[in-house]
Amino acid sequence: MSSWLDAVKWDADGLVPAIAQDHKTGRILMMAWMNREALQLTVQENRAIYYSRSRQKLWRKGEESGHVQTLHEVRLDCDADVIVLQVEQIGGIACHTGRESCFYRVYENGEWVTVDAVLKDPKEIY
């Protein structure tokens, strides 16, 4: 059962970057880290579970905010060192800033410009 996990090239800390992408629109929602247990549990529980480097523990996306990511598909890139999760973002907010995506800034004329509105005040979420 673990052979599929052995195919992943974990970094020196036992982590792999994981990109969450909306399964319908293809929009990149966020990037986080997974360890072996997080990836295995993600598949078992059919929801995104990451590893929080700052808290040094598993983080079930939405456990505090309610913004759960339901899993539709897991992909491994050609070098086996990046995971892409195709997810349904419950509540439409993936970012802790209250936006749909963590990628809400666009480079324009030498600066980063915020292009996505806050959908919900983070103080109301956390």
Side-chain angles (χ1 to χ4, degrees), residues 24-95:
K24 287 184 180 173
T25 68
R27 180 155 192 207
I28 302 297
L29 300 174
M30 58 176 281
M31 179 273 175
W33 296 92
M34 294 181 126
N35 64 8
R36 188 180 184 97
E37 182 181 13
L39 182 54
Q40 185 170 16
L41 288 172
T42 292
V43 170
Q44 287 174 354
E45 296 183 21
N46 206 44
R47 67 175 286 182
I49 300 170
Y50 302 104
Y51 181 78
S52 170
R53 295 178 301 165
S54 61
R55 292 180 266 167
Q56 297 284 299
K57 68 175 192 170
L58 292 180
W59 159 43
R60 283 172 168 77
K61 177 69 176 160
E63 65 190 350
E64 293 178 26
S65 66
H67 300 139
V68 173
Q69 291 175 342
T70 303
L71 185 66
H72 284 258
E73 183 179 72
V74 179
R75 289 183 179 239
L76 181 63
D77 82 320
C78 59
D79 294 322
D81 61 359
V82 178
I83 299 289
V84 174
L85 305 177
Q86 297 284 325
V87 301
E88 175 185 356
Q89 180 63 62
I90 306 302
I93 297 173
C95 186

